[in-house]
Amino acid sequence: IKEKHRNNYNLFDSSISENFKMRLTMETELRKALKQGQFELHYQPQKNLNTGKIVGLEALLRWNHPEKGYISPGEFIPLAEKTGLIMEIGDWVLYESCKQNKRWQDQGYEPVIVSVNLSAKQFHQRSLVQKVKDILADTGLDPQYLELEITESMAMAHEDFILNTLHELRKLGVLVSIDDFGTGYSSFKYLSLFPITKLKIDKMFLNDEQRENKAIVKSIIHMSHSLNMKVIAEGVETLEQLTFLSKARCDEMQGFYLSKPLPAPQLTKFFVE
Ligand code: C2E
Ligand code: CA
Ligand code: CA
Ligand code: CA
């Protein structure tokens, strides 16, 4: 028995340290990535369904790893959150996307809104509003062309502080949307209290195999409009989905049917000069 325990213990011990080593390696690599400029932003266009114009771009983070190639955010953002590195990465994303958006405007393209995903830690930091203000001042981007995306759970926690942050962001003139809407637990009452400008319907509701999804999408669109919010559907992959959304009076769409996320130089074909 003693022998067995010892073996188990050793096994357990070594698997913990393996795991730990892997995390440590990744953490070191993430730091290096930030320093050596291995992060990139790709932008996915968003189209207004009434005018047919491109009105926005969602900035999506990519890690261009020297050996492994592109690594998707789903693989490294959770660790970046855990280690706190997300703060620096997030600052970079915010700065870079504002700078790029201003650059396009300076090149004479019709202005579009750039939307930036915020992680929970970023959104809950005390200095967020000041940071956003500084970045807008530094890059010269007009606040009306910046949208911050938060999730339902980020908005619904710690009511007073969050409500205050949202009001201050809106006072700055920045837009705020709720990402992956419908996957969390926000109530109509909360939504009506929060100064949110747009809801982003989660792509899971576009799956036509579940018949109730159509009803859900319609009611989210209806609710957004009755709360004076815009509504966008993401993950649109087919013409059928697009037609349904247009008929249901959804304001905007985003998805592979229009374009996948692209590096900045490839986007100008979507812009009007
Ligand atoms: P998200 O914010 O919900 O972003 C949408 C995801 O859906 C993106 O994945 C996008 O590439 C993908 N997508 C777009 N159109 C379609 C479509 O038609 N069909 C399908 N199946 N997928 C589509 P991506 O780029 O891998 O990002 C994954 C998640 O990582 C994002 O989900 C977001 O939560 C997070 N993320 C990305 N960039 C950042 C960032 O800069 N900061 C933070 N905190 N999170 C980020
Ligand atoms: Ca998003
Ligand atoms: Ca989303
Ligand atoms: Ca998501």
Side-chain angles (χ1 to χ4, degrees):
I1 288 171
K2 208 174 162 195
E3 188 63 19
K4 199 177 163 209
H5 265 211
R6 203 169 59 211
N7 282 340
N8 277 348
Y9 182 75
N10 281 340
L11 206 108
F12 183 58
D13 192 30
S14 80
S15 82
I16 281 192
S17 70
E18 269 309 299
N19 206 318
F20 183 73
K21 256 195 287 189
M22 251 173 57
R23 270 188 48 182
L24 212 64
T25 314
M26 180 122 146
E27 192 182 335
T28 314
E29 293 215 336
L30 273 175
R31 277 183 206 286
K32 211 165 84 186
L34 200 57
K35 240 197 266 154
Q36 301 186 344
Q38 294 170 13
F39 288 119
E40 282 177 25
L41 288 177
H42 287 190
Y43 298 87
Q44 188 174 37
Q46 304 171 326
K47 187 182 204 157
N48 182 303
L49 292 174
N50 298 311
T51 63
K53 275 198 199 166
I54 300 301
V55 287
L57 301 169
E58 179 173 4
L60 293 158
L61 188 58
R62 300 289 178 263
W63 178 3
N64 194 354
H65 192 282
E67 286 120 44
K68 296 177 198 143
Y70 280 119
I71 304 177
S72 80
E75 287 183 56
F76 63 88
I77 284 193
L79 182 69
E81 273 263 324
K82 217 177 272 175
T83 58
L85 263 176
I86 193 68
M87 299 305 239
E88 277 170 76
I89 298 175
D91 287 354
W92 179 82
V93 171
L94 205 50
Y95 185 83
E96 183 59 28
S97 48
C98 290
K99 197 172 73 180
Q100 180 58 65
N101 202 20
K102 178 69 164 78
R103 197 180 291 144
W104 278 318
Q105 292 181 9
D106 289 345
Q107 287 168 355
Y109 297 110
E110 214 168 276
V112 295
I113 293 161
V114 69
S115 49
V116 175
N117 291 283
L118 291 187
S119 78
K121 270 212 180 112
Q122 253 184 306
F123 184 57
H124 295 145
Q125 68 184 310
R126 298 270 156 192
S127 55
L128 177 72
V129 177
Q130 188 57 46
K131 207 170 255 177
V132 170
K133 212 171 163 176
D134 291 346
I135 289 176
L136 289 167
D138 268 14
T139 57
L141 183 72
D142 188 322
Q144 64 173 313
Y145 299 116
L146 174 64
E147 177 178 278
L148 300 176
E149 298 193 6
I150 60 174
T151 61
E152 278 170 280
S153 55
M154 281 156 65
M156 301 310 143
H158 327 285
E159 298 167 37
D160 287 347
F161 172 64
I162 298 304
L163 196 59
N164 191 44
T165 303
L166 289 173
H167 277 298
E168 284 188 35
L169 287 170
R170 291 294 297 126
K171 252 195 279 168
L172 274 187
V174 168
L175 307 165
V176 182
S177 64
I178 299 206
D179 201 3
D180 303 339
F181 188 78
T183 60
Y185 299 95
S186 42
S187 66
F188 192 84
K189 181 182 157 228
Y190 270 127
L191 280 176
S192 67
L193 287 173
F194 283 42
I196 300 287
T197 42
K198 192 190 281 182
L199 296 183
K200 300 194 75 177
I201 305 176
D202 192 79
K203 54 176 171 280
M204 71 182 266
F205 298 113
L206 293 191
N207 176 352
D208 328 286
E209 269 142 55
Q210 268 170 301
R211 302 188 76 233
E212 63 274 22
N213 279 350
K214 286 212 163 86
I216 294 172
V217 171
K218 279 186 196 161
S219 67
I220 295 176
I221 294 170
H222 191 76
M223 182 181 70
S224 309
H225 289 160
S226 58
L227 291 171
N228 274 323
M229 296 174 188
K230 289 236 167 69
V231 59
I232 181 168
E234 55 178 357
V236 179
E237 294 180 352
T238 67
L239 178 61
E240 288 70 33
Q241 290 170 339
L242 181 60
T243 309
F244 165 73
L245 290 164
S246 289
K247 271 195 200 141
R249 305 193 144 266
C250 188
D251 301 302
E252 296 170 14
M253 67 78 88
Q254 171 183 356
F256 296 161
Y257 184 74
L258 175 64
S259 168
K260 59 178 197 197
L262 296 169
Q266 289 177 43
L267 272 152
T268 50
K269 65 175 181 230
F270 288 100
F271 296 157
V272 183
E273 277 176 70

